[in-house]
Amino acid sequence: MKLYCLSGHPTLPCNVLKFKSTTIMLDCGLDTTSVLNFLPLPLVHSSRLSKLPGWVSKDGTINLEKEIKECAGKVFVDSQPEFCLPERELLDLSTIDVILISNYHCMMALPYITENTGFTGTVYATEPTLQIGRLLMEELVNFMERVPKPPSATCWKNKEIQRQLPGPLKDAVDVWMWKKCYTMQEVNSALSKVQLELFGAVQVSPLSSGYSLGSSNWTIQSHHEKVAYVSGSSLLTTHPQPMDQSSLKNSDVLILTGLTQMPTANPDGMLGEFCSNLAMTIRAGGNVLVPCYSSGVIYDLLECLYQFIDNANLGTTPFYFISPVANSSLEFSQIFAEWLCHVKQSKVYLPEPPFPHAELIQTNKLKHYPSIHGDFSNEFRQPCVVFTGHPSLRFGDVVHFMELWGKSSLNTIIFTEPDFNYLDALAPYQPLSMKCIYCPIDTRLNFLQVSKLLKEVQPLHVVCPEQYTQPPVSQSHRSDLMLELKPPPMPYRRCSVLSLPFKRRYERVYIMPELANSLVPSEVKAGVSVATVSAVIHSKDNKHTLQSVPKPPPAPPSKKRKRVLEEPPAAQSPKPLLSGAVPLEGFLATLQKHGITEVKVEETPEGHILHLQEQDTLIQLDEDGTHIICDNNEPLRTTLRDLALRFLLKL
């Protein structure tokens, strides 16, 4: 069993497991942090961005003024943003049989995997993961396509040139693998391969992971082995269905990914800080910008604000949610009732909407728009709170609000998504006057929670990203911010191939009824019988069946007349199989009864050697056989053989 690691991002995993001649991809997360190296894509012309100076090396030998721009001491690529894809050279993607998706954030690279690679397999995901994943992909494509950009910059990717660029471009990894965003046609083609029913050679089961709508962990089982895959899980009481922990027990291998990116930040504390900073800004007459994804934490933010608005006297403040998929996202959150926690499920049967943002929309406190154009520009009033994407601040409607509000210290931007370094996200907008608040809300498992979980489910082996086996570089003294297990976990990094530390010992085989009827069992001990069988094994789709040996076809009749009819040879009955061992003390006693008394016993690593001195004969008693060495005395050899056979069971 082998594990191929195609992504180095611990919360956006992409691994491939080879198990029972089946090749299974576990998630296909898209590392979008690469977009921080690019300039933002403004919806309307930005004179500030267009006036940024181009980069020229200090000695003047490299001139990339058209590709690289400088802003506040940092450099950015002036081109359509590109993404760092999962490694595609480590193995042939056309050999993948199945892709298992754990949540909608971990499927964003799916079109890069399934399209133009020869992929002919199947993708498995829950219904909410499929539908919300489609929305996030559609939103990403929309962000890119509505702001056309000149042809991609490529000169800076030359290895010799990249070495001389300032950081972080200088240190960017695998830049030639970076790709532009896929098209909507590729998205639809990729999602057409998704199935919701599971079947096949190994049993694959999704388990609720408690992180987001429809998020799941997976167990991959054969009849005698079990692999658990834990990705993006939460034990906190939020809107999704609670995590199923018990089904992870008795795993031979547990592959662990997607722990919290903010192990020292308490989500409840961050929510409180979010609300208080929002209220302070509004009371001071400023606007609040919240860069966020169109699904996930935004549901919890809106629920928190629902309870907070009236207490903070913010009832007249407009809240805007702007995204090409805003309406669909809010509607989907209300219809997947079976994937919600029990409290929200019970509301559906009252009937009430499970999320309070439905009431915020009815009372016009929350309004949603596909973009800043059209209705929004007519109804927009300030001060207000705007939820919009993208959290990287490189594309989407958020770029417009950064340009609009960035020059005023009354305004505040509040970061709640943990995927991007907020200082790097703000870099191309410097100098910036608006206040910046960092309240990352990450409900995924922290190291304390995952240590308790692993003690309860007790897998034989744990595999995890190498980042989890050592403390963060900035907090090297914090041994509590790493996994300490016995035996130690097996770490992996991008492009590594692990041989997982257990071997398959057994396989289930089915036997045809007519063959079973022909068996003659012999009782070995009370309640245990065995039988010999001669059969043909038929294997298909990892299922093995024993079938009767086909009889040879009759010989075709000869045209020549035979004078004498030959009788067919009598079928020889198979030799009996022997089971058991010849005990030393019992065998010596039997020899003595038959007059063989002078026996010298010598111990060997494999067993014992008996030297019958008077008969000049050697008998080797080994673990897997008995050998009688007796020259020119066939009667004695036969007698000794029969005495040894008394201790063995004949089948």
Side-chain angles (χ1 to χ4, degrees):
M1 182 182 290
K2 287 193 173 182
L3 186 72
Y4 297 78
C5 310
L6 311 186
S7 169
H9 199 302
T11 52
L12 295 168
C14 184
N15 300 314
V16 174
L17 178 70
K18 289 204 170 185
F19 179 44
K20 277 196 72 172
S21 70
T22 304
T23 305
I24 304 170
M25 177 173 279
L26 305 169
D27 281 331
C28 44
L30 182 63
D31 186 354
T32 52
T33 55
S34 59
V35 304
L36 295 175
N37 296 291
F38 292 79
L39 279 181
L41 297 180
L43 288 172
V44 294
H45 176 73
S46 168
S47 57
R48 184 186 69 85
L49 290 174
S50 62
K51 292 176 183 176
L52 289 176
W55 181 82
V56 181
S57 61
K58 290 182 179 178
D59 58 6
T61 56
I62 302 176
N63 187 330
L64 293 178
E65 288 185 325
K66 292 184 178 179
E67 292 193 9
I68 307 290
K69 303 293 183 181
E70 289 190 72
C71 178
K74 293 194 174 184
V75 294
F76 301 92
V77 182
D78 187 13
S79 173
Q80 185 171 346
E82 297 178 343
F83 306 111
C84 180
L85 307 191
E87 178 60 45
R88 301 202 291 179
E89 304 297 325
L90 197 60
L91 80 165
D92 185 354
L93 297 181
S94 67
T95 63
I96 294 171
D97 301 303
V98 175
I99 301 177
L100 304 180
I101 305 295
S102 59
N103 61 72
Y104 44 77
H105 287 300
C106 290
M107 67 183 292
M108 297 299 286
L110 188 63
Y112 296 118
I113 303 294
T114 62
E115 306 310 300
N116 307 313
T117 60
F119 175 82
T120 57
T122 307
V123 184
Y124 290 129
T126 62
E127 178 73 14
T129 295
L130 168 63
Q131 299 301 343
I132 297 176
R134 182 191 299 274
L135 294 183
L136 292 178
M137 290 183 189
E138 183 182 327
E139 180 185 57
L140 188 62
V141 172
N142 189 295
F143 283 159
M144 295 297 183
E145 291 185 348
R146 71 185 183 183
V147 186
K149 196 75 176 175
S152 298
T154 55
C155 293
W156 73 274
K157 293 184 179 182
N158 181 291
K159 286 185 179 180
E160 295 302 319
I161 294 177
Q162 189 191 353
R163 284 193 196 121
Q164 301 183 53
L165 293 174
L169 276 181
K170 175 183 179 180
D171 305 314
V173 180
D174 297 328
V175 293
W176 279 107
M177 305 260 315
W178 293 7
K179 298 288 182 187
K180 286 196 281 187
C181 187
Y182 34 68
T183 65
M184 205 59 216
Q185 182 180 355
E186 289 171 322
V187 170
N188 291 329
S189 177
L191 296 182
S192 69
K193 299 173 175 68
V194 178
Q195 291 191 12
L196 307 175
E197 296 180 5
L198 308 176
F199 56 89
V202 292
Q203 183 181 351
V204 179
S205 304
L207 316 169
S208 174
S209 72
Y211 169 55
S212 60
L213 266 179
S215 66
S216 56
N217 296 318
W218 293 87
T219 57
I220 306 159
Q221 289 179 271
S222 67
H223 298 298
H224 302 286
E225 299 89 19
K226 179 177 179 180
V227 176
Y229 176 59
V230 175
S231 172
S233 303
S234 177
L235 294 172
L236 300 181
T237 305
T238 54
H239 62 271
Q241 198 177 49
M243 180 181 178
D244 179 354
Q245 301 176 56
S246 60
S247 300
L248 299 172
K249 291 181 178 178
N250 305 315
S251 299
D252 296 289
V253 173
L254 187 144
I255 302 169
L256 177 67
T257 67
L259 300 185
T260 177
Q261 299 181 80
M262 298 291 150
T264 57
N266 181 295
D268 288 335
M270 293 294 103
L271 272 174
E273 204 169 314
F274 169 81
C275 290
S276 62
N277 280 285
L278 182 147
M280 285 170 57
T281 302
I282 296 297
R283 286 174 188 146
N287 301 289
V288 177
L289 179 61
V290 186
C292 61
Y293 294 112
S294 55
S295 181
V297 170
I298 187 171
Y299 302 145
D300 297 308
L301 292 177
L302 293 175
E303 183 161 2
C304 183
L305 287 173
Y306 173 78
Q307 301 164 350
F308 179 77
I309 286 173
D310 292 331
N311 295 336
N313 295 320
L314 299 177
T316 58
T317 304
F319 290 77
Y320 301 118
F321 177 23
I322 304 172
S323 165
V325 296
N327 184 49
S328 300
S329 174
L330 294 173
E331 287 181 350
F332 274 135
S333 67
Q334 306 284 20
I335 62 175
F336 290 122
E338 69 272 27
W339 298 96
L340 297 173
C341 62
H342 178 71
V343 173
K344 294 197 180 302
Q345 278 188 20
S346 60
K347 286 187 176 183
V348 176
Y349 301 106
L350 288 177
E352 287 180 10
F355 285 94
H357 56 242
E359 187 176 327
L360 290 174
I361 294 171
Q362 289 172 359
T363 56
N364 279 331
K365 291 178 180 177
L366 173 67
K367 295 183 178 182
H368 54 85
Y369 303 91
S371 74
I372 59 171
H373 304 296
D375 292 342
F376 173 76
S377 57
N378 297 327
E379 299 175 11
F380 175 57
R381 60 186 179 87
Q382 305 180 73
C384 63
V385 179
V386 173
F387 298 88
T388 189
H390 186 265
S392 66
L393 308 190
R394 292 301 180 270
F395 40 83
D397 299 274
V398 71
V399 176
H400 177 74
F401 287 101
M402 288 299 298
E403 296 286 339
L404 181 68
W405 291 343
K407 299 178 181 65
S408 171
S409 59
L410 290 175
N411 302 321
T412 301
I413 179 171
I414 305 180
F415 289 89
T416 58
E417 301 288 356
D419 290 352
F420 300 92
N421 181 303
Y422 75 101
L423 294 175
D424 291 339
L426 291 169
Y429 298 96
Q430 300 294 355
L432 201 64
S433 298
M434 73 188 305
K435 292 189 286 292
C436 171
I437 305 295
Y438 190 49
C439 300
I441 299 170
D442 196 336
T443 60
R444 287 172 285 202
L445 294 172
N446 59 36
F447 288 99
L448 177 62
Q449 291 170 329
V450 83
S451 295
K452 288 181 179 178
L453 173 67
L454 293 174
K455 283 180 183 177
E456 289 179 16
V457 302
Q458 295 186 327
L460 293 181
H461 305 282
V462 175
V463 181
C464 67
E466 66 175 357
Q467 291 96 321
Y468 298 162
T469 61
Q470 53 203 14
V473 176
S474 59
Q475 297 173 296
S476 56
H477 62 288
R478 294 288 300 270
S479 59
D480 58 323
L481 300 182
M482 60 179 284
L483 280 180
E484 291 187 292
L485 305 173
K486 291 185 180 179
M490 292 183 67
Y492 68 78
R493 62 171 68 181
R494 186 183 174 100
C495 291
S496 58
V497 180
L498 303 185
S499 292
L500 299 184
F502 83 95
K503 294 182 179 178
R504 293 171 46 223
R505 297 179 182 174
Y506 303 104
E507 187 58 84
R508 177 171 290 190
V509 178
Y510 299 90
I511 189 166
M512 297 298 287
E514 61 271 16
L515 182 60
N517 287 335
S518 68
L519 301 184
V520 182
S522 299
E523 191 170 33
V524 180
K525 58 183 181 181
V528 178
S529 296
V530 297
T532 60
V533 60
S534 296
V536 173
I537 188 164
H538 179 263
S539 297
K540 184 179 180 182
D541 294 336
N542 278 311
K543 291 184 179 178
H544 313 289
T545 307
L546 289 181
Q547 301 176 346
S548 300
V549 178
K551 295 179 180 178
S558 175
K559 294 181 180 179
K560 295 182 180 179
R561 295 180 61 185
K562 292 186 179 180
R563 293 180 182 177
V564 181
L565 290 173
E566 296 179 1
E567 291 186 5
Q572 293 184 349
S573 58
K575 289 183 179 180
L577 298 177
L578 302 175
S579 175
V582 179
L584 177 62
E585 298 300 329
F587 189 51
L588 289 174
T590 302
L591 291 176
Q592 197 165 15
K593 285 181 184 177
H594 287 76
I596 302 173
T597 55
E598 294 186 21
V599 181
K600 183 181 178 183
V601 180
E602 179 184 340
E603 192 169 343
T604 67
E606 292 80 21
H608 298 86
I609 295 177
L610 280 56
H611 186 197
L612 283 53
Q613 295 176 326
E614 188 177 328
Q615 292 79 10
D616 193 22
T617 298
L618 291 177
I619 303 175
Q620 288 180 293
L621 300 179
D622 297 339
E623 289 182 359
D624 55 357
T626 301
H627 306 276
I628 300 171
I629 304 168
C630 179
D631 292 336
N632 303 321
N633 194 341
E634 183 63 21
L636 175 62
R637 190 195 68 77
T638 305
T639 301
L640 294 174
R641 181 200 66 189
D642 293 341
L643 294 178
L645 287 174
R646 292 183 182 183
F647 296 95
L648 302 177
L649 181 67
K650 294 181 181 179
L651 302 176

